[in-house]
Amino acid sequence: VITDQTMPKLTGIRLLSALRELRPELPIVLVTGYSESIDADKARKLGASAFALKPLRLVELSRILRTLLDR
Protein backbone atom coordinates (compact mmCIF):
# COMPACT_ATOMS: atom_id res chain seq x y z
CA VAL A 1 0.00 0.00 0.00
CA ILE A 2 1.23 3.48 -0.85
CA THR A 3 -0.61 6.20 1.06
CA ASP A 4 -0.31 9.89 1.65
CA GLN A 5 -0.29 11.33 5.15
CA THR A 6 -2.76 14.10 4.30
CA MET A 7 -6.08 12.90 2.92
CA PRO A 8 -9.70 14.02 3.36
CA LYS A 9 -11.32 12.49 6.46
CA LEU A 10 -8.42 10.13 7.20
CA THR A 11 -4.71 10.57 7.85
CA GLY A 12 -2.10 8.18 6.57
CA ILE A 13 -1.21 7.34 10.16
CA ARG A 14 -4.80 6.33 10.94
CA LEU A 15 -4.99 4.26 7.76
CA LEU A 16 -1.66 2.64 8.59
CA SER A 17 -2.91 1.73 12.07
CA ALA A 18 -6.12 0.20 10.71
CA LEU A 19 -4.26 -1.77 8.05
CA ARG A 20 -1.77 -3.10 10.63
CA GLU A 21 -4.67 -4.49 12.65
CA LEU A 22 -6.06 -6.28 9.60
CA ARG A 23 -2.83 -7.37 7.89
CA PRO A 24 0.29 -6.91 10.04
CA GLU A 25 2.56 -8.24 7.28
CA LEU A 26 1.32 -5.83 4.60
CA PRO A 27 4.05 -3.48 3.27
CA ILE A 28 2.94 0.14 3.69
CA VAL A 29 4.72 3.18 2.29
CA LEU A 30 3.76 6.49 3.92
CA VAL A 31 4.35 9.57 1.76
CA THR A 32 4.07 13.21 2.79
CA GLY A 33 4.99 16.63 1.58
CA TYR A 34 4.71 18.14 5.05
CA SER A 35 7.57 16.88 7.17
CA GLU A 36 6.82 18.68 10.46
CA SER A 37 3.97 16.32 11.37
CA ILE A 38 5.88 13.10 10.74
CA ASP A 39 9.34 11.91 9.81
CA ALA A 40 10.87 8.57 8.82
CA ASP A 41 11.63 7.53 12.40
CA LYS A 42 8.13 8.29 13.66
CA ALA A 43 6.55 6.62 10.62
CA ARG A 44 8.50 3.41 11.22
CA LYS A 45 7.66 3.43 14.93
CA LEU A 46 3.99 3.67 13.95
CA GLY A 47 4.31 0.69 11.62
CA ALA A 48 5.20 2.07 8.19
CA SER A 49 7.45 -0.20 6.15
CA ALA A 50 8.93 2.84 4.39
CA PHE A 51 8.62 6.61 4.38
CA ALA A 52 9.13 9.14 1.58
CA LEU A 53 8.91 12.88 1.12
CA LYS A 54 7.20 14.51 -1.85
CA PRO A 55 7.97 15.38 -4.49
CA LEU A 56 8.82 11.74 -5.03
CA ARG A 57 10.83 10.80 -8.11
CA LEU A 58 9.93 7.59 -9.91
CA VAL A 59 13.43 6.20 -9.39
CA GLU A 60 13.11 6.71 -5.63
CA LEU A 61 9.67 5.07 -5.51
CA SER A 62 11.02 2.16 -7.57
CA ARG A 63 13.91 1.70 -5.13
CA ILE A 64 11.56 1.72 -2.13
CA LEU A 65 9.20 -0.80 -3.71
CA ARG A 66 12.05 -3.09 -4.81
CA THR A 67 13.42 -3.08 -1.25
CA LEU A 68 10.03 -3.97 0.19
CA LEU A 69 9.36 -6.71 -2.36
CA ASP A 70 12.78 -8.25 -1.71
CA ARG A 71 12.01 -8.65 2.01
Side-chain angles (χ1 to χ4, degrees), residues 12-53:
I13 292 171
R14 287 181 54 208
L15 177 61
L16 189 147
S17 178
L19 289 171
R20 282 285 167 246
E21 288 183 30
L22 296 172
R23 301 258 321 262
E25 76 288 352
L26 187 67
I28 302 170
V29 180
L30 183 62
V31 181
T32 189
Y34 185 65
S35 63
E36 287 185 28
S37 62
I38 190 161
D39 59 22
D41 188 48
K42 184 176 179 182
R44 286 199 174 85
K45 286 179 183 174
L46 293 170
S49 307
F51 175 81
L53 288 172

Side-chain angles (χ1 to χ4, degrees), residues 3-19 30:
T3 186
D4 199 335
Q5 168 58 15
T6 305
M7 301 180 289
K9 301 181 183 180
L10 181 69
T11 66
I13 292 171
R14 287 181 54 208
L15 177 61
L16 189 147
S17 178
L19 289 171
L30 183 62

